[in-house]
Amino acid sequence: MLYAFAMVAAIAAIVTAFVLYFGAARLAGSRAGKLALLLGVVVLPFVAVVNGAGYAYETSSSTEFCLDCHEMDGHGKSLFLDDPLVLPAMHYQKRLIDRDHACFQCHTNYAMFGDLRAKANGLRHVWVHYLGEASDPLELYDPYPSSNCLHCHDDARSYLEASGHQAELEAISAGEKSCLECHSSGHALPQLEEGSFWIPE
């Protein structure tokens, strides 16, 4: 990312030097001047937009970004609940997911355009944060899909051999039964008041 910013700054500096040295009127009359103007008017803004969009896309996938809004304070704290039944906490604490992208990994639909749909929902969150009023408690736009869980777990030995899963494997795979029917605590926000927390050293 630093390289991209350096490249944009270098192009801007070159164009500025050309304009200052030759003057805008003279630039438009020469081949080098037209090239400099093309760089300044077309290439520079394009490079800046593409790199800015890439930076925003990557940053908005981070756990830090997701938990930056005050509405998400409880969800962030819940990742440290010391309770094996709180799935987000156990996934986070045991590093079953990438901690730096924890929210995005679990709340992204892994279908073809899942990332884009997650980003669109993220924009809705930002819109509500700044221009609307968030529901209390927060609610998902759609029921949490078991396919998000199965993306990582469907061939995991711990999932396949768990006694509680044996009779339900086909129903879960077919989407007829939700993982949350048994693992229903979610972020377990009510436990935040009196729960104990894991404190990493």
Side-chain angles (χ1 to χ4, degrees):
M1 198 64 216
L2 186 59
Y3 170 77
F5 284 126
M7 187 170 65
V8 170
I11 294 172
I14 291 168
V15 172
T16 303
F18 263 83
V19 171
L20 291 176
Y21 185 76
F22 291 107
R26 281 184 62 199
L27 278 176
S30 69
R31 188 173 207 171
K34 289 176 182 175
L35 180 59
L37 291 173
L38 175 68
L39 284 172
V41 175
V42 177
V43 176
L44 180 63
F46 177 77
V47 170
V49 167
V50 168
N51 283 290
Y55 177 77
Y57 186 89
E58 181 59 33
T59 300
S60 64
S61 301
S62 71
T63 304
E64 181 182 0
F65 177 86
C66 294
L67 300 179
D68 205 30
C69 297
H70 65 85
E71 295 95 340
M72 301 304 294
D73 284 347
H75 292 77
K77 290 176 184 171
S78 75
L79 297 176
F80 296 91
L81 278 167
D82 192 14
D83 183 342
L85 297 179
V86 180
L87 295 183
M90 286 303 98
H91 280 72
Y92 185 84
Q93 293 170 29
K94 292 182 178 182
R95 288 194 177 274
L96 299 174
I97 51 174
D98 174 14
R99 289 183 183 165
D100 293 335
H101 299 91
C103 307
F104 190 70
Q105 282 189 316
C106 288
H107 288 279
T108 296
N109 181 318
Y110 286 92
M112 180 179 278
F113 298 108
D115 281 8
L116 294 178
R117 186 170 179 193
K119 296 298 181 183
N121 282 337
L123 286 174
R124 289 169 69 185
H125 293 327
V126 172
W127 176 270
V128 169
H129 175 74
Y130 288 107
L131 301 172
E133 189 172 329
S135 62
D136 188 17
L138 294 178
E139 296 178 1
L140 294 171
Y141 294 124
D142 299 306
Y144 191 84
S146 293
S147 58
N148 285 14
C149 305
L150 296 178
H151 177 75
C152 295
H153 290 286
D154 73 343
D155 64 348
R157 183 175 180 180
S158 57
Y159 166 72
L160 295 172
E161 294 182 356
S163 58
H165 295 158
Q166 295 297 305
E168 308 294 348
L169 291 175
E170 286 186 24
I172 294 170
S173 293
E176 297 166 1
K177 187 174 182 75
S178 169
C179 298
L180 297 182
E181 288 180 36
C182 296
H183 302 283
S184 59
S185 61
H187 280 274
L189 299 182
Q191 289 181 230
L192 295 180
E193 293 295 324
E194 299 178 2
S196 60
F197 294 87
W198 171 66
I199 301 172
E201 295 179 1

